[in-house]
Each structure stands twice: as C-alpha cells, then as structure tokens.
Amino acid sequence: MRLPRIVVWLPFLLSLTACLEMEQTIELAADGSGIQAVRLVMKEATLKELERAKAATLPAASAGGPAAAFDEKLVAQELRDAGLEVKTHKVTKDPGQRSVELVAAFPDFGTLQQSPLCGSAAEWVLAAGPQPGTARLTLYPQGKAAWVEARARAEKMQGETDPVAEGFFQKRQQSLAGLDVTLRFKLPGDVLLCTNNMDQTGPREVVARVTAAQIKTPQELVRRLAPRFEVVFDARDCKLPLR
C-alpha cells in the first residue's frame, strides 16, 4: 500500500471542484534526526475523484491510493518499511469530509530522504551552505529535474499569448477554491536565507503556503506544480551529514 502522494495527485486536484487543505511540518534536529508531521483535510467528493483517477491511471496491482492515508495500519506499515516510526495517527470524520493528523519520527536525514510523506518523486538535499558553519536544506517535491523543466517552461510561456491555454487555465482556476497547502521547516539553527516562495516566521522557522488565490496565471500554475524550497541556516552547533 502507498500513502497518497499529495504532490503527485495535485494535478488531478487542480481539475476538481473540491477543496484540499494540507499542512506539513519537518522539524530537523542538530544530529539529522527529526519529526515529520502532516495534517490533511479532504472532502469526500475529492477523495472519490482521486480514487477514480488512481484506478484509471495506475495498474490494478497498485493497491494503494488516497484513502490509504486514513488507514492507521497501512500508514504505520509503510512508514516502518521506510525507517520511520509513527507517533500519532488520528482520523476525524465530519459531514462531507474527513481529516487525518499524522506525526512520524525519522532517526537520520537519510531516512527523511526515503520518507513517502512528501511523495515518491521528492528529492531532499542537505549540503554545506555558502559560508563556513552554515547548511543548506533543499526540497524538490517533484524532483530536481521536474523543477528545472517547470522553470524553463514558465519562462518560455512568459510574454506568449495562447488563447487555448488561457481558456483551459481559466476553467481550471475556477476549480481551485479551497486549495490550501502549507509546508513548514523547523531548523536546528537560526535562518539566514530562504527562497522567495518561503517566509521566515521565526528565528528558526520558514513556511511556504500555496493557496488558490496565488495561482493567477498559467506560468504560476506550472511553477507551483514542481517547486523548489530551500533554506540556509546556522549549523555551527550541529552534527549534520552535509553533502
């Protein structure tokens, strides 16, 4: 079974008239261990659409799907297989929607790199920063190659007028109401720099948020489907496996 790769399923969500709320927090300790917490709220209608999309696009032998995140046993098994330990798994059902709160611990950065919670294509990089005693943490949710391709495609689209593409985007834009995705990094040292798609919300915390209101052009849609999140922080008191 596989957890619902939210980034992987986002292209399907963008074609649905339903809401999705997801908040993910990665807390990295000074030795490279840490906590990964996810809170997901999804309408039942969205879940059904995703299950239909999964059935149409994945082999029958691929038993997982979006609903797997709400099954504690399946979640615990997959995370154990990846080296993580489930600390909390709480499911709440309300009229027309359901939510799950999940907290998992990883013993080292290498395990975080294998975590299924950011999606099967995600790439994490922890490297030395631009100055001695600093570190750079980078997440490519769809992989670095996808980010490079999306950036080039968005730049090529800049200034071009394509009535067909614009019409398609406007229809998709109407279906984005309720989209609210948050990614939070908590670092073991003070934040020094971060990419423009993240905001510093504390001395050691940065947050990225994607909402429907932010996606106003086809270029913005392309960029947000394959982003890069990066932060540079003070690592003088850390013992991290810097690349």
Side-chain angles (χ1 to χ4, degrees):
M1 282 291 186
R2 294 291 173 187
L3 294 175
R5 318 297 196 181
I6 295 303
V7 175
V8 173
W9 290 103
L10 189 53
F12 291 103
L13 287 166
L14 295 176
S15 67
L16 305 176
T17 49
C19 96
L20 167 75
E21 296 178 28
M22 187 184 75
E23 182 173 346
Q24 181 162 181
T25 299
I26 293 91
E27 184 171 355
L28 187 67
D31 63 354
S33 64
I35 296 292
Q36 193 170 13
V38 177
R39 179 178 179 272
L40 172 67
V41 181
M42 190 180 295
K43 285 186 176 181
E44 294 288 353
T46 304
L47 191 58
K48 291 179 181 178
E49 287 290 339
L50 287 176
E51 290 290 353
R52 283 197 289 268
K54 176 257 178 182
T57 58
L58 296 181
S62 179
F70 302 97
D71 189 313
E72 183 174 3
K73 291 183 178 180
L74 295 178
V75 168
Q77 182 61 55
E78 177 160 7
L79 291 182
R80 278 198 301 269
D81 290 345
L84 291 88
E85 179 185 0
V86 175
K87 298 294 186 180
T88 302
H89 186 280
K90 180 182 178 182
V91 174
T92 302
K93 291 187 178 182
D94 296 311
Q97 70 177 30
R98 69 176 88 175
S99 63
V100 60
E101 295 182 16
L102 168 64
V103 178
F106 52 90
D108 50 49
F109 186 74
T111 301
L112 174 63
Q113 290 177 302
Q114 302 302 315
S115 172
L117 292 176
C118 279
S120 57
E123 291 184 32
W124 289 93
V125 180
L126 183 59
Q131 300 294 333
T134 66
R136 187 193 308 271
L137 177 65
T138 308
L139 169 62
Y140 301 95
Q142 288 284 50
K144 184 176 181 179
W147 168 70
V148 171
E149 181 180 351
R151 185 175 60 171
R153 182 181 175 191
E155 290 176 353
K156 183 178 179 181
M157 294 169 66
Q158 194 72 33
E160 293 184 353
T161 301
D162 186 337
V164 176
E166 287 291 340
F168 179 81
F169 170 73
Q170 290 175 6
K171 291 181 180 179
R172 297 288 74 80
Q173 189 179 33
Q174 297 172 5
S175 70
L176 296 179
L179 181 69
D180 193 342
V181 179
T182 299
L183 175 68
R184 178 179 293 102
F185 290 165
K186 292 186 177 182
L187 292 313
D190 290 348
V191 173
L192 303 175
L193 296 168
C194 62
T195 45
N196 292 333
N197 57 359
M198 306 195 86
D199 295 314
Q200 186 173 348
T201 52
R204 298 186 173 189
E205 180 179 288
V206 291
V207 173
R209 189 179 181 194
V210 178
T211 66
Q214 297 172 341
I215 304 175
K216 300 177 180 179
T217 67
Q219 296 95 317
E220 290 173 349
L221 177 60
V222 169
R223 288 182 181 274
R224 293 186 186 280
L225 283 177
R228 177 194 65 167
F229 302 111
E230 187 170 274
V231 58
V232 176
F233 61 94
D234 185 346
R236 287 175 295 180
D237 296 328
C238 302
K239 295 181 179 180
L240 299 168
L242 301 182
R243 198 176 72 177

